[in-house]
Amino acid sequence: MAAADDNGQPLAPLLRKLIALGPVSQADAAAVESLPLTLREYPPGQEIVRERDRPTQGCILLSGMCCRFKIVGDGARQINSFHIPGDMPDLQSLLLHQMDHGLLTLTRVRLALVPHPTLMQLVENHPRLGLLLWRDTLIDGSLFREWMCSIGRRTARVRVAHLLCELFLRYRNVGLAEDMTMPFHLTQTHLGDALGLSVVHVNRVMKSLRRDGVIGIASRRLTILDWPGLARIGDFDDAYLHLTPGS
């Protein structure tokens, strides 16, 4: 079934995500739409959850972008994942009661907060939704393994191209990419912290990709001008995203 328009239903991004993961019944969709929510907005650069926190509610990203991150001993930041609307970036806190990383806004974001007992009741009463959320966490692990391969074995140019391919397909999968254009709010610092590269190196790679005519960037939007070319540069195979047929 199709998710409601965002203006009529705050959880439309989550419904789009769930529908992209697998079939969602009318009853399951209605249960999601009836969740009691606390809506909050956060500015860029704010920690939503800190490492060692013990959250009592889960967050659903409705708009904007955030990331999971860790700070290592010398104060350097490693970004472990990027999150887009529809994601539940702290879903693991439902069962792992202490956070082992932080959650940071990269843009102005809008969140829906749902108490953990309510989420537990949702998956108990609607097992299909529980399976879809489980599938989401498994795919999350698959993305993490692919990021490990990038940081450990891919060159800087391949890393950047691979990540751009991934982000585009994730945005498209939840209906947030138009033609070959997606929102792009990431700075070179964000990319460097995610890919283990210096800002200077990221700058050189992004310039080379634009010079080669595979991407274009304007007004916080990134357009893929040559998908086969970008995928070839990024050594990209989308199997690890586990996209459902037709998505």
Side-chain angles (χ1 to χ4, degrees):
M1 63 169 291
D5 181 78
D6 291 26
N7 293 326
Q9 172 49 245
L11 289 184
L14 175 60
L15 277 174
R16 284 197 298 266
K17 174 72 173 289
L18 292 172
I19 291 166
L21 290 169
V24 175
S25 70
Q26 292 281 352
D28 289 341
V32 171
E33 291 171 340
S34 64
L35 285 172
L37 308 174
T38 300
L39 300 180
R40 290 185 182 171
E41 293 191 4
Y42 294 87
Q46 182 165 333
E47 288 186 60
I48 303 168
V49 184
R50 293 182 173 85
E51 188 171 354
R52 299 188 183 279
D53 277 357
R54 294 178 175 271
T56 58
Q57 53 192 354
C59 68
I60 302 163
L61 186 58
L62 304 180
S63 66
M65 195 175 202
C66 63
C67 71
R68 294 186 187 130
F69 75 100
K70 287 185 73 75
I71 302 296
V72 297
D74 64 358
R77 181 178 69 180
Q78 176 65 50
I79 290 177
N80 302 122
S81 59
F82 291 123
H83 294 279
I84 65 175
D87 286 354
M88 298 181 68
D90 66 345
L91 181 60
Q92 68 276 9
S93 69
L94 189 60
L95 296 175
L96 301 177
H97 302 300
Q98 179 173 282
M99 293 291 289
D100 56 35
H101 60 275
L103 186 61
L104 179 75
T105 63
L106 300 178
T107 66
R108 177 169 293 279
V109 305
R110 188 166 178 251
L111 295 177
L113 303 177
V114 185
H116 281 168
T118 301
L119 289 173
M120 289 297 294
Q121 186 176 31
L122 178 72
V123 299
E124 289 170 1
N125 293 340
H126 298 270
R128 178 65 188 173
L129 291 177
L131 289 174
L132 292 178
L133 293 175
W134 185 15
R135 175 178 170 82
D136 189 37
T137 60
L138 293 174
I139 295 173
D140 194 46
S142 179
L143 267 67
F144 184 75
R145 290 188 291 274
E146 196 69 24
W147 278 41
M148 289 287 289
C149 289
S150 283
I151 292 174
R153 294 298 178 185
R154 291 180 174 128
T155 65
R157 182 173 161 88
V158 176
R159 289 182 215 180
V160 173
H162 191 281
L163 178 60
L164 297 181
C165 288
E166 175 189 303
L167 287 173
F168 173 75
L169 289 186
R170 288 174 60 195
Y171 272 115
R172 189 180 70 175
N173 197 42
V174 292
L176 296 176
E178 301 173 3
D179 297 323
M180 296 302 292
T181 299
M182 65 177 174
F184 193 70
H185 300 282
L186 297 176
T187 67
Q188 293 175 1
T189 298
H190 297 150
L191 291 172
D193 287 353
L195 299 174
L197 301 171
S198 70
V199 171
V200 172
H201 212 158
V202 172
N203 181 266
R204 289 173 181 165
V205 170
M206 292 296 286
K207 281 184 176 179
S208 75
L209 294 176
R210 296 172 76 172
R211 184 175 60 248
D212 292 345
V214 293
I215 65 168
I217 301 175
S219 302
R220 299 185 181 277
R221 309 281 291 177
L222 184 144
T223 299
I224 298 178
L225 304 172
D226 178 3
W227 173 263
L230 185 65
R232 183 173 57 253
I233 293 169
D235 187 29
F236 186 75
D237 180 346
D238 69 7
Y240 74 100
L241 293 173
H242 299 280
L243 301 175
T244 55
S247 67

